[in-house]
Amino acid sequence: QVHLVESGGGSVQAGGSLRLSCAASEDIYKFRTNCMAWWRQAPGKEREGVANIYSGGGWTNYADSVKGRFTIAQDKSTVYLQMNSLKPEDTAMYYCAAGVWSGGVCGGIRVWGQGTQVTVSS
């Protein structure tokens, strides 16, 4: 059963924008999570956290590489990632995740989405 479904990926030229969406299923509560996050993984690289949001209070944080360009937001059971001023190095598979907020980040990931591809050309 799929609990997190991402959409909005695609191909864009450098400097362009994309908005990713992640819809959580109604039974996501069973995992007792309280935060959402976006991660990404480029070919040959480790998966890295991009942005986090605490569902109960809206606190957010971002990887240094995307600060000022990406914005994470949540509306009920859907989380968004607005990506502006995209760079070729942003090219990756982007994953939505649900976890437990601790130490200012959304860690203890309990649910992963299947990913959506973002490709930025120069």
Side-chain angles (χ1 to χ4, degrees):
Q1 186 175 1
V2 178
H3 300 286
L4 297 174
V5 180
E6 302 101 332
S7 62
S11 297
V12 65
Q13 290 191 327
S17 298
L18 283 173
R19 188 175 83 153
L20 305 183
S21 299
C22 172
S25 61
E26 291 184 354
D27 64 349
I28 193 71
Y29 73 93
K30 294 188 298 185
F31 296 94
R32 299 184 181 275
T33 58
N34 60 8
C35 61
M36 302 289 289
W38 286 97
W39 290 65
R40 67 185 181 187
Q41 187 168 20
K45 295 187 177 181
E46 293 186 356
R47 192 172 294 191
E48 63 172 347
V50 174
N52 305 261
I53 186 166
Y54 175 60
S55 301
W59 299 329
T60 61
N61 60 43
Y62 300 88
D64 287 343
S65 59
V66 306
K67 280 181 182 177
R69 299 188 298 121
F70 290 12
T71 302
I72 189 170
Q74 185 168 3
D75 180 15
K76 297 182 181 179
S77 61
T78 301
V79 64
Y80 304 94
L81 186 68
Q82 178 66 44
M83 306 185 295
N84 298 328
S85 301
L86 282 162
K87 304 175 182 180
E89 51 263 44
D90 294 318
T91 295
M93 184 71 78
Y94 282 71
Y95 298 90
C96 178
V100 178
W101 191 265
S102 178
V105 297
C106 187
I109 300 299
R110 296 179 176 177
V111 189
W112 289 98
Q114 294 179 314
T116 185
Q117 178 67 37
V118 171
T119 302
V120 184
S121 58
S122 58

